[in-house]
Every structure is written in structure tokens, then in C-alpha cells.
Amino acid sequence: MLKESDKKHLLIPRDILPDHVIGLVESLYSLGCSADPMHIGDITGESIDVLPKAIDVAEALNLVKYENGYLRITDLGKKIAEANPKKLRKMLREAIISNKVEPLYEVYMTLKERKTLTKEEFREIIEKHYRRVNNEIMNNVLMWGTYLGLFKLSEDDTQVILLSESIT
């Protein structure tokens, strides 16, 4: 699926959320850690548009490996599938930051320096990575950040605020 050179600058597809990636990994784990991607699609009921993108993200994060027409779960993928929710979030957060997954990485690194961003500054960062930015993509990035415990929208919906100083 992904070539080695593609892994350096992973951009989260605009319509992929954490539950797509986690659901893929957990489904593969429940299938005995190896399966034809078509079987995973049948089990998860995931759209033909979403599943390949979720596979690409999971592969870039070293959670799964695509070989000879089959997906195989990696050791990290097994740990994620077996983890409790708190540990799962921590491991996924570390994978996202260490692999510099955009735009999450840039938002997080900017927030580490500044602690807050206005919604407009947040949008400007996202616009560097996606051609057309709308509320849906901004909300999806916020969902990733909140799920991972990196950042969230302030109570008054005017700023994005840092949740975690460190990824551990």
C-alpha cells in the first residue's frame, strides 16, 4: 500500500477518524491478526471509500503491514488492540507525534510553544495541509486532537488549547 518514501509526510485523510483506524486494528486482531482486506471491510461494514485510507494510516503508524494481498497486524498493532482505552490513547498519541502526522503534529508543536491558538490560527495551519478547508475537516482534526489528549476547543469555542505538554 504505502511506499517507504510516502511514510515521511503522512497527512490524515480528511474523512478518517481515530475510530476508523482503531476499528481496523481491532477487527484484524479479532480475525487472528491476518486477513484479506475485503474480509475486514465485510466485518466492519466500512465504506469502500474509507477502508483503504484507514489501512494507509494504520500502515504508516506501523500498526498493520500489507504483504502479498493480506493485512497483518504488527506488534504495536497487537499492543493497541489489547490495551485499555487510556493506554491505547497514549500509544496512538506517541505514534502520531513520532511519525509527524499532519496537521496534528504542527498544531501540537505550535501549541507546545504558545499554549493556545485562535480558531483562525488553527484554520490557517489546517489550510497548509488541505486544499479546501471546511467546518467538517476542522472538526475532524479537533476530534483527533481531543481523542489523543493533545488539544481541544475552549469552553467558549474561541480558541484551541493545549491539553498535554508531553506525549507520554
Side-chain angles (χ1 to χ4, degrees), residues 88-139:
L88 182 153
R89 284 187 177 110
K90 179 182 179 217
M91 287 188 295
L92 193 56
R93 177 172 58 236
E94 290 170 354
I96 292 282
I97 296 303
S98 66
N99 286 290
K100 298 181 180 179
V101 175
E102 296 296 355
L104 301 169
Y105 181 77
E106 185 174 349
V107 171
Y108 175 69
M109 295 309 287
T110 304
L111 283 168
K112 274 185 76 169
E113 290 176 19
R114 299 187 34 209
K115 310 298 183 234
T116 65
L117 292 169
T118 65
K119 280 179 83 173
E120 185 55 37
E121 292 167 326
F122 177 69
R123 182 183 192 93
E124 287 170 7
I125 291 173
I126 294 172
E127 285 175 341
K128 291 181 195 177
H129 300 282
Y130 300 101
R131 288 191 184 162
R132 284 172 265 128
V133 174
N134 57 26
N135 286 339
E136 181 182 0
I137 186 58
M138 289 181 58
N139 287 337

Side-chain angles (χ1 to χ4, degrees), residues 61-104:
L61 295 175
N62 193 33
L63 305 177
V64 302
K65 218 174 181 69
Y66 185 76
E67 297 173 325
N68 302 321
Y70 282 85
L71 274 180
R72 185 179 53 78
I73 199 165
T74 63
D75 289 339
L76 178 59
K78 286 178 188 175
K79 289 177 185 173
I80 294 247
E82 294 169 348
N84 65 45
K86 185 176 179 179
K87 185 151 176 87
L88 182 153
R89 284 187 177 110
K90 179 182 179 217
M91 287 188 295
L92 193 56
R93 177 172 58 236
E94 290 170 354
I96 292 282
I97 296 303
S98 66
N99 286 290
K100 298 181 180 179
V101 175
E102 296 296 355
L104 301 169

Side-chain angles (χ1 to χ4, degrees), residues 8-9 12-13 16 19-20 25 33 35 44 50 57 76 90 109 118-120 122 132 135 158 161 166-167:
K8 291 184 178 117
H9 301 288
I12 294 285
I16 298 299
D19 57 328
H20 294 123
V25 171
C33 299
T44 62
V50 171
V57 172
L76 178 59
K90 179 182 179 217
M109 295 309 287
T118 65
K119 280 179 83 173
E120 185 55 37
F122 177 69
R132 284 172 265 128
N135 286 339
T158 61
I161 56 175
S166 68
I167 62 168

Side-chain angles (χ1 to χ4, degrees), residues 119 153-159:
K119 280 179 83 173
L153 196 59
S154 63
E155 296 285 325
D156 63 2
D157 292 346
T158 61
Q159 297 182 3

